[in-house]
Amino acid sequence: MTGLDPQELLVGLDQDQVAAVRITRGPLVIHAGAGSGKTQVIAHRVAYAVATGAVDPRRILVVTFTDKAAGEMAERLSALGLPGVAARTFHAAALAQLRHFWPARHGGAPAPAVLDSKIPIVGRLARGLPGGYRFTTAKDLADEIEWAKSRRLRPATYGAEAGSRTPPIPAELFVRLWAAYEREKDRAGRLDFDDMLTRTVDLLEMDETAAATVRERYAWFSVDEYQDTNPLQQRLLELWLGDRDDVCVVGDEDQTIYTFAGATSAFLTGFTGRFPGAREVTLDRNYRSSPQILALANRLLASEGRRKRLVATQPAGPLPTIRRCADGDAELALITATIRRLIDDGTPPAGIAVLVRINAQVPPIEAALTRAGIAFRVRGQRFFERPEVR
């Protein structure tokens, strides 16, 4: 017994959250809108399943999308009295399994170290491409390798199986560069980020003893940010499950952002097709944003034919304004002018935030604010302080 009180775990949850938490067996898909408290639901559902005896906490695997999210989930579970529950990313869980089985399959040798990045090898190979192709951005080539490996393509099968995909350079050159990358990586005795998944999938498909060992270790799964799962991650999840169905997936198809790396929301939207008996719960109460923000979000969803509507729970706030800029320079000028006006009108600088979609958008904003003499702080590490930039 854990000492957890199942009823206490339901206190403070809304009716839809309670419904999700109380489903502890069988396939479940939770459609979690933005700001709907999904992290709390995931943690409380795990604790509720343990408290009611539905699962041994040692056999739970909570899969998150980032190491940061895994750390936060582990902290929440620990605060609920479950410090031993495994919360990991697909990659971290796969690498742990690969390292466990590697010595027995490779004469006692430990698993290879993992490359920090494909870029050094890919960049060197790119400089040997003919003509103007040698100026192709190494990141674009590395991203294409990642996309292909997420679909379990090989250099030899890329041309036939990539469909209408257009690589950054002609397909025959890309295949040649990719094959050379794999040879150099193998000669160096290294794995890359994608190999954590590809090698583990290959292992579990070919070695029934290894697959049985993993399935004995983990029997109950919860997967967050499922809309950003790629085919390789989906296959790994299937291998972990085997013929069982104690799996809960949580996601929002409107928050898919990693399609460039092979992710697809089709696994989320098609979940009930793969598990006909699956139950569905929708979390549509937003605990983060004002009604004005959500009204705009709902208009955007409706414009794309979505039936989902986010329900406000927070007090009213100012109406959002939309500004259209001619180009990037005009946008930067508008940002700095708006911040300057807000500060002059008495808004404390700490109450102003500039949000971006991807990290690549941060450096120009840093430069524009510096030129304007506006002090700022970057959440995370400032661009010019990052080791790879230095």
Side-chain angles (χ1 to χ4, degrees), residues 309-321:
R309 288 187 62 82
L310 299 171
V311 179
T313 63
Q314 296 297 310
L319 286 170
T321 58

PDB file of all heavy atoms in Angstrom, residues 309-321:
ATOM      1  N   ARG A 309     -13.803  24.175 -28.864  1.00  0.00           N
ATOM      2  CA  ARG A 309     -13.841  25.523 -28.296  1.00  0.00           C
ATOM      3  C   ARG A 309     -13.254  25.477 -26.899  1.00  0.00           C
ATOM      4  O   ARG A 309     -13.606  24.610 -26.090  1.00  0.00           O
ATOM      5  CB  ARG A 309     -15.277  26.061 -28.228  1.00  0.00           C
ATOM      6  CG  ARG A 309     -15.860  26.426 -29.572  1.00  0.00           C
ATOM      7  CD  ARG A 309     -17.210  27.096 -29.410  1.00  0.00           C
ATOM      8  NE  ARG A 309     -17.107  28.351 -28.660  1.00  0.00           N
ATOM      9  CZ  ARG A 309     -16.745  29.510 -29.192  1.00  0.00           C
ATOM     10  NH1 ARG A 309     -16.439  29.589 -30.487  1.00  0.00           N
ATOM     11  NH2 ARG A 309     -16.679  30.598 -28.459  1.00  0.00           N
ATOM     12  N   LEU A 310     -12.336  26.387 -26.625  1.00  0.00           N
ATOM     13  CA  LEU A 310     -11.739  26.483 -25.298  1.00  0.00           C
ATOM     14  C   LEU A 310     -12.620  27.351 -24.418  1.00  0.00           C
ATOM     15  O   LEU A 310     -13.090  28.412 -24.843  1.00  0.00           O
ATOM     16  CB  LEU A 310     -10.332  27.080 -25.403  1.00  0.00           C
ATOM     17  CG  LEU A 310      -9.340  26.254 -26.242  1.00  0.00           C
ATOM     18  CD1 LEU A 310      -8.055  27.033 -26.475  1.00  0.00           C
ATOM     19  CD2 LEU A 310      -9.043  24.928 -25.564  1.00  0.00           C
ATOM     20  N   VAL A 311     -12.846  26.903 -23.193  1.00  0.00           N
ATOM     21  CA  VAL A 311     -13.741  27.583 -22.260  1.00  0.00           C
ATOM     22  C   VAL A 311     -12.914  28.361 -21.246  1.00  0.00           C
ATOM     23  O   VAL A 311     -12.016  27.803 -20.604  1.00  0.00           O
ATOM     24  CB  VAL A 311     -14.646  26.571 -21.536  1.00  0.00           C
ATOM     25  CG1 VAL A 311     -15.573  27.285 -20.548  1.00  0.00           C
ATOM     26  CG2 VAL A 311     -15.458  25.764 -22.552  1.00  0.00           C
ATOM     27  N   ALA A 312     -13.220  29.641 -21.082  1.00  0.00           N
ATOM     28  CA  ALA A 312     -12.449  30.506 -20.185  1.00  0.00           C
ATOM     29  C   ALA A 312     -12.832  30.287 -18.732  1.00  0.00           C
ATOM     30  O   ALA A 312     -13.995  30.048 -18.398  1.00  0.00           O
ATOM     31  CB  ALA A 312     -12.666  31.969 -20.560  1.00  0.00           C
ATOM     32  N   THR A 313     -11.841  30.380 -17.855  1.00  0.00           N
ATOM     33  CA  THR A 313     -12.078  30.330 -16.406  1.00  0.00           C
ATOM     34  C   THR A 313     -11.439  31.527 -15.703  1.00  0.00           C
ATOM     35  O   THR A 313     -11.698  31.745 -14.521  1.00  0.00           O
ATOM     36  CB  THR A 313     -11.498  29.038 -15.790  1.00  0.00           C
ATOM     37  OG1 THR A 313     -10.073  29.032 -15.973  1.00  0.00           O
ATOM     38  CG2 THR A 313     -12.100  27.794 -16.439  1.00  0.00           C
ATOM     39  N   GLN A 314     -10.617  32.288 -16.413  1.00  0.00           N
ATOM     40  CA  GLN A 314      -9.907  33.420 -15.817  1.00  0.00           C
ATOM     41  C   GLN A 314     -10.714  34.712 -15.994  1.00  0.00           C
ATOM     42  O   GLN A 314     -11.593  34.800 -16.851  1.00  0.00           O
ATOM     43  CB  GLN A 314      -8.528  33.581 -16.479  1.00  0.00           C
ATOM     44  CG  GLN A 314      -7.591  32.407 -16.237  1.00  0.00           C
ATOM     45  CD  GLN A 314      -7.252  32.228 -14.773  1.00  0.00           C
ATOM     46  OE1 GLN A 314      -6.864  33.178 -14.096  1.00  0.00           O
ATOM     47  NE2 GLN A 314      -7.433  31.009 -14.268  1.00  0.00           N
ATOM     48  N   PRO A 315     -10.411  35.742 -15.188  1.00  0.00           N
ATOM     49  CA  PRO A 315     -11.117  37.024 -15.334  1.00  0.00           C
ATOM     50  C   PRO A 315     -10.770  37.718 -16.646  1.00  0.00           C
ATOM     51  O   PRO A 315      -9.804  37.357 -17.322  1.00  0.00           O
ATOM     52  CB  PRO A 315     -10.631  37.836 -14.126  1.00  0.00           C
ATOM     53  CG  PRO A 315      -9.338  37.195 -13.730  1.00  0.00           C
ATOM     54  CD  PRO A 315      -9.475  35.744 -14.044  1.00  0.00           C
ATOM     55  N   ALA A 316     -11.572  38.714 -16.985  1.00  0.00           N
ATOM     56  CA  ALA A 316     -11.391  39.434 -18.249  1.00  0.00           C
ATOM     57  C   ALA A 316     -10.064  40.167 -18.290  1.00  0.00           C
ATOM     58  O   ALA A 316      -9.503  40.556 -17.265  1.00  0.00           O
ATOM     59  CB  ALA A 316     -12.541  40.412 -18.450  1.00  0.00           C
ATOM     60  N   GLY A 317      -9.565  40.357 -19.501  1.00  0.00           N
ATOM     61  CA  GLY A 317      -8.326  41.094 -19.717  1.00  0.00           C
ATOM     62  C   GLY A 317      -8.471  41.981 -20.929  1.00  0.00           C
ATOM     63  O   GLY A 317      -9.557  42.072 -21.518  1.00  0.00           O
ATOM     64  N   PRO A 318      -7.406  42.637 -21.355  1.00  0.00           N
ATOM     65  CA  PRO A 318      -7.487  43.529 -22.512  1.00  0.00           C
ATOM     66  C   PRO A 318      -7.705  42.746 -23.800  1.00  0.00           C
ATOM     67  O   PRO A 318      -7.366  41.571 -23.904  1.00  0.00           O
ATOM     68  CB  PRO A 318      -6.124  44.226 -22.513  1.00  0.00           C
ATOM     69  CG  PRO A 318      -5.217  43.278 -21.797  1.00  0.00           C
ATOM     70  CD  PRO A 318      -6.052  42.620 -20.753  1.00  0.00           C
ATOM     71  N   LEU A 319      -8.286  43.420 -24.769  1.00  0.00           N
ATOM     72  CA  LEU A 319      -8.469  42.817 -26.081  1.00  0.00           C
ATOM     73  C   LEU A 319      -7.116  42.667 -26.770  1.00  0.00           C
ATOM     74  O   LEU A 319      -6.291  43.584 -26.739  1.00  0.00           O
ATOM     75  CB  LEU A 319      -9.381  43.676 -26.952  1.00  0.00           C
ATOM     76  CG  LEU A 319     -10.881  43.663 -26.624  1.00  0.00           C
ATOM     77  CD1 LEU A 319     -11.594  44.748 -27.428  1.00  0.00           C
ATOM     78  CD2 LEU A 319     -11.469  42.285 -26.937  1.00  0.00           C
ATOM     79  N   PRO A 320      -6.859  41.546 -27.392  1.00  0.00           N
ATOM     80  CA  PRO A 320      -5.618  41.408 -28.154  1.00  0.00           C
ATOM     81  C   PRO A 320      -5.654  42.276 -29.406  1.00  0.00           C
ATOM     82  O   PRO A 320      -6.721  42.486 -29.995  1.00  0.00           O
ATOM     83  CB  PRO A 320      -5.578  39.922 -28.514  1.00  0.00           C
ATOM     84  CG  PRO A 320      -6.995  39.477 -28.462  1.00  0.00           C
ATOM     85  CD  PRO A 320      -7.663  40.320 -27.417  1.00  0.00           C
ATOM     86  N   THR A 321      -4.530  42.812 -29.793  1.00  0.00           N
ATOM     87  CA  THR A 321      -4.440  43.585 -31.029  1.00  0.00           C
ATOM     88  C   THR A 321      -3.518  42.862 -31.996  1.00  0.00           C
ATOM     89  O   THR A 321      -2.562  42.197 -31.587  1.00  0.00           O
ATOM     90  CB  THR A 321      -3.891  45.003 -30.772  1.00  0.00           C
ATOM     91  OG1 THR A 321      -2.596  44.892 -30.158  1.00  0.00           O
ATOM     92  CG2 THR A 321      -4.811  45.782 -29.845  1.00  0.00           C
TER      93      THR A 321
END
